[in-house]
Amino acid sequence: PRTWLSVSATTRRPRPGERDGVDYFFLEEDEFARRADAGEFLEWAEVHGKRYGTPRGRVLEKMREGYDVLLEIDVQGAGQVRERMPEAVTVFVRTPSLRELERRLRERGTESEEEIAERMRNARRENREAGSFDYVITNDELSRAVDELCAIYEKESRP
């Protein structure tokens, strides 16, 4: 099967090296709100004080073309997708511990102390939602986590 990774829209500022239309579609708050109000997102949510959403049109177009579409979204968005597309397969990817998540965030060096604290609060809440997903992967070793995701994809993909 052919696979396509959807590019999300966000109101946050680009991190160093990120490119508009490749990593995210970087939108101003008013433009994001206009698109959300017009129903242009398959799902959207406010996460870590910024808005994120999946543009509906490209997802549906790629599905019509026969692609399996992968969405990299948060817990809130996954809930919306499950409601709108019950056939969707959901995978929750988590760090091995909250301590490890905090270490990774600090190592990345792109968030303030306040943003790290907010992300940690959100992670505690999101981890409680893992049971509502079809699969859970612990990202303790990247190559193993990738292999596990690939195995899930092989099992669940269309013939």
Side-chain angles (χ1 to χ4, degrees), residues 78-139:
Q80 293 173 43
V81 170
R82 274 195 304 275
E83 286 178 18
R84 295 175 182 137
M85 304 178 101
E87 71 280 11
V89 176
T90 57
V91 180
F92 185 94
V93 180
R94 67 173 160 211
T95 55
S97 68
L98 291 173
R99 181 177 300 167
E100 174 63 11
L101 173 60
E102 184 174 0
R103 186 195 69 73
R104 291 177 186 182
L105 289 171
R106 291 187 184 287
E107 188 174 277
R108 184 165 71 182
T110 57
E111 285 85 11
S112 68
E113 284 300 316
E114 296 80 23
E115 290 169 325
I116 289 172
E118 181 177 8
R119 284 181 174 268
M120 296 305 296
R121 282 190 301 274
N122 290 343
R124 286 181 192 88
R125 178 185 47 77
E126 290 173 351
N127 280 338
R128 291 192 295 269
E129 301 292 324
S132 66
F133 285 69
D134 298 312
Y135 298 91
V136 177
I137 295 175
T138 300
N139 184 11

Side-chain angles (χ1 to χ4, degrees), residues 12-77:
R12 77 162 172 77
R13 296 284 150 238
R15 293 186 182 121
E18 288 183 329
R19 295 173 296 162
D20 186 54
V22 175
D23 300 290
Y24 285 93
F25 294 106
F26 295 100
L27 304 177
E28 295 298 323
E29 185 67 40
D30 60 341
E31 178 64 11
F32 192 102
R34 184 195 68 71
R35 292 182 186 194
D37 290 345
E40 293 182 22
F41 294 116
L42 175 62
E43 59 78 30
W44 72 269
E46 187 169 319
V47 183
H48 315 304
K50 304 295 181 192
R51 292 186 189 193
Y52 293 81
T54 302
R56 175 190 308 272
R58 283 290 278 159
V59 168
L60 297 179
E61 175 185 320
K62 288 296 185 180
M63 289 175 71
R64 280 192 300 274
E65 292 173 3
Y67 284 86
D68 288 333
V69 176
L70 302 178
L71 308 179
E72 186 180 352
I73 57 180
D74 79 305
V75 170
Q76 296 173 73

